[in-house]
Amino acid sequence: MNKYKIDTDKMKPRYIYTYACHETERELCLLELKCLFGQQPVHSSMLSSHLRLEPGISPFIHLRLDIIIEADTLEELCEAASMLQLEEGKTFKVLCLKEGDNEADYDERREIERRIGARIQGQAQMKTPDVILGVIRVGERWLMGICEYSDRSWQERRQKPQNYSTGLPVLVARALVNLAATDLTASKGKSDSLKLLDPCCGMGNVMIEALSMGKDIRGCDINPLAVRGARVNLRHFGYEEDLVKLGDMNMLTGNYDAAILDMPYNLCSVLPADEQKKMLRSLRRLAARAVIVSTEPMATLLSESGWTVMEQCRIYKTGMSREIWICK
């Protein structure tokens, strides 16, 4: 019996996702991946799943590998590669990934690429190939698949016309949207049918990332300067500026599938507990699910406001840290 297979079973495809994060954001990265895939990653740099997601959905995912071959040994992988039928005229490149359980150094990975590439029928192209075939070792198995790289265009939104020095980074804002919407997307079927709310939107960082991901989101802020800045930013990236309103979240009405609340804070003063509780109770009235961010401990206030904490994590920045709670 063959010890390798070319995967043509479309009923149960397999995908490998490689990811990376800074240590200060590792808790957020792992929680976001858990929400997206329904499982905690067991490897420090990759995740295996039968779910096919666009790699650009997460700011931490580098690429998705669509597996087409699995083998017990490298030689068997080379043999299976010789049977590949690339589309006529398509050029290829073999890339041995450093993620996974492959302990090969740089020179050894290049040799693996040469060995496999020499067995593939077709024209190799190192600079601009039509297809990149990724190779990775997971446990004792060798896998090969087609690389789909993440869309990193969100990085261009790091620079905005208006921003706070303590505003949420684009990477964090994007991850928060996934924490808020992923479970709901699974239950409702379409992400664009979800109604999201950012009731203290500041300069609109979370709103802009949600909109870039095709989400329906509305925002408001009690600070006229913040609303003005958010509108400038929305307009700069091609979104309707009337998506954000001036107002107190405690006076808002309506029903939303989920909300993302970055609790107001000031490095020189603290929002009184009764005001925080009032905001959290208003949020409970507006949405059945929320992702709440704060620089202060919130467990007691969340419980007293009617929220149940489902998950939590922490992110760090020089001089401060933020707690993140997923609540229902």
Side-chain angles (χ1 to χ4, degrees):
M1 183 175 67
N2 289 336
K3 293 185 178 180
Y4 63 83
K5 71 172 183 176
I6 296 180
D7 186 6
T8 58
D9 181 8
K10 300 306 180 183
M11 297 301 293
K12 196 174 183 180
R14 184 180 181 188
Y15 306 97
I16 299 293
Y17 297 84
T18 65
Y19 67 91
C21 62
H22 191 273
E23 187 59 34
T24 59
E25 297 157 345
R26 185 159 186 80
E27 290 184 26
L28 176 61
C29 171
L30 295 179
L31 180 54
E32 187 210 36
L33 292 175
K34 180 180 178 181
C35 288
L36 286 171
F37 294 97
Q39 65 184 62
Q40 189 79 33
V42 296
H43 199 285
S44 62
S45 61
M46 53 142 285
L47 181 147
S48 176
S49 176
H50 294 298
L51 295 178
R52 186 182 188 277
L53 303 181
E54 291 301 318
I57 191 174
S58 166
F60 300 110
I61 293 177
H62 178 55
L63 65 80
R64 185 189 73 227
L65 192 63
D66 299 2
I67 302 302
I68 55 177
I69 298 175
E70 297 188 25
D72 287 334
T73 67
L74 180 59
E75 184 53 45
E76 289 168 357
L77 188 72
C78 291
E79 183 179 349
S82 68
M83 301 170 59
L84 280 178
Q85 298 293 321
L86 297 178
E87 187 176 339
E88 187 174 355
K90 293 289 186 181
T91 59
F92 74 92
K93 173 183 177 179
V94 177
L95 178 65
C96 184
L97 304 179
K98 60 182 179 181
E99 293 84 2
D101 298 309
N102 185 4
E103 298 178 353
D105 61 22
Y106 177 86
D107 291 334
E108 291 169 331
R109 292 199 304 273
R110 301 295 82 80
E111 177 59 26
I112 290 171
E113 293 166 359
R114 286 189 286 270
R115 286 181 60 186
I116 296 174
R119 303 290 294 272
I120 296 176
Q121 301 178 39
Q123 181 180 352
Q125 168 60 258
M126 295 298 102
K127 291 185 177 181
T128 57
D130 297 312
V131 179
I132 298 179
L133 297 169
V135 177
I136 191 169
R137 185 179 178 184
V138 179
E140 298 301 317
R141 298 281 283 174
W142 287 87
L143 313 178
M144 177 187 283
I146 298 173
C147 290
E148 293 290 341
Y149 285 89
S150 173
D151 172 12
R152 311 296 285 180
S153 60
W154 58 267
Q155 294 182 339
E156 300 171 2
R157 294 188 291 277
R158 287 175 168 168
Q159 299 298 322
K160 294 180 174 64
Q162 301 290 319
N163 215 341
Y164 288 135
S165 61
T166 55
L168 290 172
V170 173
L171 180 149
V172 174
R174 195 169 185 85
L176 293 179
V177 174
N178 283 328
L179 297 187
T182 300
D183 288 351
L184 295 171
T185 300
S187 62
K188 294 193 72 170
K190 289 187 177 181
S191 63
D192 56 6
S193 67
L194 301 176
K195 292 177 61 179
L196 304 180
L197 173 68
D198 184 351
C200 294
C201 66
M203 295 294 179
N205 292 8
V206 169
M207 290 185 66
I208 289 168
E209 288 314 298
L211 291 166
S212 76
M213 298 162 74
K215 311 296 185 185
D216 179 4
I217 189 168
R218 298 293 185 272
C220 78
D221 203 287
I222 200 170
N223 185 343
L225 294 178
V227 171
R228 187 182 307 165
R231 287 174 174 169
V232 169
N233 288 335
L234 285 165
R235 185 168 61 249
H236 177 77
F237 291 107
Y239 301 115
E240 297 294 328
E241 59 184 70
D242 63 358
L243 292 173
V244 59
K245 305 292 185 183
L246 175 65
D248 185 343
M249 67 169 289
N250 296 311
M251 304 302 293
L252 289 178
T253 59
N255 294 293
Y256 297 85
D257 293 297
I260 301 167
L261 173 60
D262 185 14
M263 293 291 290
Y265 54 87
N266 187 302
L267 297 180
C268 300
S269 63
V270 176
L271 193 67
D274 58 342
E275 292 187 29
Q276 295 185 53
K277 188 182 296 187
K278 185 178 180 181
M279 294 174 65
L280 293 171
R281 285 176 173 170
S282 294
L283 193 69
R284 193 73 182 88
R285 170 176 52 81
L286 294 165
R289 176 183 174 91
V291 175
I292 299 166
V293 184
S294 177
T295 59
E296 305 172 51
M298 297 284 291
T300 300
L301 283 176
L302 289 168
S303 177
E304 292 176 351
S305 303
W307 290 104
T308 299
V309 175
M310 309 303 294
E311 301 277 0
Q312 68 184 92
C313 69
R314 178 178 294 180
I315 54 176
Y316 302 88
K317 186 179 179 180
T318 303
M320 66 182 297
S321 66
R322 287 182 169 103
E323 295 278 355
I324 299 171
W325 297 269
I326 303 177
C327 302
K328 290 184 179 180

mmCIF file of all heavy atoms in Angstrom, residues 190-195 214-216:
data_model
loop_
_atom_site.group_PDB
_atom_site.id
_atom_site.type_symbol
_atom_site.label_atom_id
_atom_site.label_comp_id
_atom_site.label_asym_id
_atom_site.label_seq_id
_atom_site.Cartn_x
_atom_site.Cartn_y
_atom_site.Cartn_z
ATOM 1 N N LYS A 190 -23.781 34.379 7.543
ATOM 2 C CA LYS A 190 -23.119 35.379 6.723
ATOM 3 C C LYS A 190 -22.594 36.501 7.609
ATOM 4 O O LYS A 190 -23.330 37.081 8.387
ATOM 5 C CB LYS A 190 -24.085 35.959 5.679
ATOM 6 C CG LYS A 190 -24.446 34.998 4.560
ATOM 7 C CD LYS A 190 -25.267 35.711 3.494
ATOM 8 C CE LYS A 190 -25.589 34.800 2.326
ATOM 9 N NZ LYS A 190 -26.373 35.495 1.282
ATOM 10 N N SER A 191 -21.321 36.819 7.428
ATOM 11 C CA SER A 191 -20.737 37.869 8.248
ATOM 12 C C SER A 191 -21.318 39.232 7.912
ATOM 13 O O SER A 191 -21.395 40.108 8.773
ATOM 14 C CB SER A 191 -19.216 37.897 8.071
ATOM 15 O OG SER A 191 -18.871 38.201 6.736
ATOM 16 N N ASP A 192 -21.734 39.442 6.645
ATOM 17 C CA ASP A 192 -22.243 40.751 6.276
ATOM 18 C C ASP A 192 -23.658 40.987 6.781
ATOM 19 O O ASP A 192 -24.219 42.065 6.595
ATOM 20 C CB ASP A 192 -22.168 40.961 4.761
ATOM 21 C CG ASP A 192 -22.902 39.881 3.975
ATOM 22 O OD1 ASP A 192 -23.569 39.043 4.598
ATOM 23 O OD2 ASP A 192 -22.802 39.890 2.744
ATOM 24 N N SER A 193 -24.283 39.988 7.414
ATOM 25 C CA SER A 193 -25.613 40.174 7.988
ATOM 26 C C SER A 193 -25.531 40.588 9.452
ATOM 27 O O SER A 193 -26.548 40.892 10.070
ATOM 28 C CB SER A 193 -26.429 38.881 7.864
ATOM 29 O OG SER A 193 -25.882 37.861 8.681
ATOM 30 N N LEU A 194 -24.331 40.620 10.023
ATOM 31 C CA LEU A 194 -24.161 40.990 11.418
ATOM 32 C C LEU A 194 -24.169 42.505 11.584
ATOM 33 O O LEU A 194 -23.642 43.241 10.745
ATOM 34 C CB LEU A 194 -22.839 40.446 11.956
ATOM 35 C CG LEU A 194 -22.640 38.931 11.901
ATOM 36 C CD1 LEU A 194 -21.237 38.586 12.385
ATOM 37 C CD2 LEU A 194 -23.684 38.219 12.731
ATOM 38 N N LYS A 195 -24.753 42.959 12.663
ATOM 39 C CA LYS A 195 -24.751 44.380 13.004
ATOM 40 C C LYS A 195 -23.835 44.578 14.210
ATOM 41 O O LYS A 195 -24.080 44.030 15.282
ATOM 42 C CB LYS A 195 -26.168 44.859 13.324
ATOM 43 C CG LYS A 195 -27.109 44.886 12.142
ATOM 44 C CD LYS A 195 -28.508 45.311 12.574
ATOM 45 C CE LYS A 195 -28.504 46.703 13.178
ATOM 46 N NZ LYS A 195 -29.862 47.144 13.577
ATOM 47 N N GLY A 214 -15.709 43.895 5.521
ATOM 48 C CA GLY A 214 -17.060 43.706 5.008
ATOM 49 C C GLY A 214 -18.134 43.675 6.070
ATOM 50 O O GLY A 214 -19.251 43.222 5.805
ATOM 51 N N LYS A 215 -17.829 44.160 7.276
ATOM 52 C CA LYS A 215 -18.810 44.143 8.363
ATOM 53 C C LYS A 215 -19.683 45.394 8.334
ATOM 54 O O LYS A 215 -19.262 46.463 7.881
ATOM 55 C CB LYS A 215 -18.109 44.059 9.722
ATOM 56 C CG LYS A 215 -17.041 42.997 9.846
ATOM 57 C CD LYS A 215 -17.595 41.603 9.702
ATOM 58 C CE LYS A 215 -16.502 40.568 9.968
ATOM 59 N NZ LYS A 215 -16.974 39.183 9.714
ATOM 60 N N ASP A 216 -20.885 45.249 8.838
ATOM 61 C CA ASP A 216 -21.813 46.355 9.010
ATOM 62 C C ASP A 216 -21.638 46.882 10.433
ATOM 63 O O ASP A 216 -22.016 46.212 11.393
ATOM 64 C CB ASP A 216 -23.249 45.874 8.777
ATOM 65 C CG ASP A 216 -24.277 46.977 8.955
ATOM 66 O OD1 ASP A 216 -23.882 48.136 9.182
ATOM 67 O OD2 ASP A 216 -25.488 46.685 8.859
#
